[in-house]
Amino acid sequence: MPLYSEYADDILLRLLKEDDQSAYTEIFKRYSKLLINHAYKILENQDEANDVVQEVFLSIWNKRNELTVTGSLSSYLYKAVKNRVLNYIAHEKVVSRYADSISNFVENDYVFADSKLREEELESIIAKEIALLPEKMREVFLLRKVEELSYDEIALQLNITDKTAKQQVYNSVKILREKLKNFMGVFVW
């Protein structure tokens, strides 16, 4: 019987693509705690960190046959967790901020029927629209609007120019405004 704990990551990946559940289990044992700690440092919530990592591993198992890993497995897993965390943050924090600002706008200028239900619907729409942004644009947008990094910090972190970072945020806000203006007539009267 093979001892999976002694296999290198590339061998485990090859076996995983061949539907070897023991290889998947070994990858999970090898990396799950590290990834949960990584997610926890960002989210500061153990349950949310566990959920994010579980989603990443579930996705890996479901897409094992077409999984393409360039570079090391650990880098791939950390990036997958980071992207999942950014999506989670987009859903939780950005949506909440936009919902709050839209809610304030509506409370001051318009009558709002069933405000809680409509606010939840709007939060869901905003989260979906953010998730539909191109990956790099979404990443820059979230770093600016959620993490509140400066354009210089974003440029340094993503190895792009600050001008590119500004343009990505500008483009994402323009896209979101355009898509959301179609929904505002439904939510406000």
Side-chain angles (χ1 to χ4, degrees):
M1 176 168 230
L3 196 56
Y4 285 85
S5 63
E6 295 179 0
Y7 287 161
D9 287 350
D10 58 327
I11 294 172
L12 290 172
L13 267 175
R14 184 177 47 79
L15 292 170
L16 173 66
K17 289 181 181 185
E18 296 169 2
D19 298 331
D20 188 325
Q21 194 165 9
S22 295
Y24 173 78
T25 302
E26 177 58 32
I27 293 169
F28 182 85
K29 282 196 273 188
R30 194 174 287 183
Y31 288 104
S32 63
K33 287 181 183 173
L34 295 169
L35 295 171
I36 289 169
N37 288 336
H38 178 63
Y40 178 77
K41 287 178 186 173
I42 301 167
L43 296 170
E44 298 178 347
N45 181 301
Q46 194 65 47
D47 290 336
E48 293 169 358
N50 287 335
D51 289 347
V52 164
V53 173
Q54 289 294 333
E55 289 173 15
V56 167
F57 276 102
L58 179 62
S59 176
I60 287 171
W61 178 255
N62 289 337
K63 296 179 180 179
R64 66 191 175 278
N65 295 320
E66 64 262 9
L67 193 64
T68 304
V69 176
T70 54
S72 70
L73 175 60
S74 62
S75 296
Y76 176 85
L77 291 171
Y78 275 97
K79 183 169 183 166
V81 167
K82 181 183 104 178
N83 287 338
R84 193 69 65 151
V85 165
L86 288 175
N87 286 338
Y88 181 83
I89 289 171
H91 178 71
E92 294 300 318
K93 289 185 179 178
V94 173
V95 170
S96 177
R97 284 185 188 164
Y98 277 100
D100 288 346
S101 72
I102 289 171
S103 179
N104 289 337
F105 171 77
V106 169
E107 286 172 12
N108 293 331
D109 296 325
Y110 293 93
V111 176
F112 207 77
D114 282 333
S115 64
K116 185 65 177 161
L117 177 62
R118 290 176 186 255
E119 186 175 316
E120 289 171 2
E121 289 175 23
L122 187 56
E123 285 177 7
S124 175
I125 291 167
I126 292 169
K128 286 177 186 169
E129 293 302 331
I130 290 170
L132 291 174
L133 290 172
E135 183 179 344
K136 279 292 184 193
M137 185 182 291
R138 181 179 68 238
E139 186 175 10
V140 172
F141 176 79
L142 293 174
L143 288 172
R144 178 70 179 157
K145 298 297 184 181
V146 176
E147 299 296 320
E148 298 178 353
L149 297 181
S150 71
Y151 291 114
D152 290 334
E153 291 169 322
I154 294 169
L156 186 63
Q157 185 172 335
L158 299 180
N159 198 23
I160 59 175
T161 66
D162 64 331
K163 185 176 179 181
T164 300
K166 287 177 189 174
Q167 189 62 47
Q168 290 284 18
V169 171
Y170 173 80
N171 290 344
S172 59
V173 169
K174 184 176 174 183
I175 289 169
L176 291 172
R177 276 193 188 130
E178 185 63 32
K179 291 194 177 197
L180 293 175
K181 82 175 183 184
N182 297 328
F183 294 107
M184 290 311 293
V186 173
F187 289 98
V188 181
W189 43 273

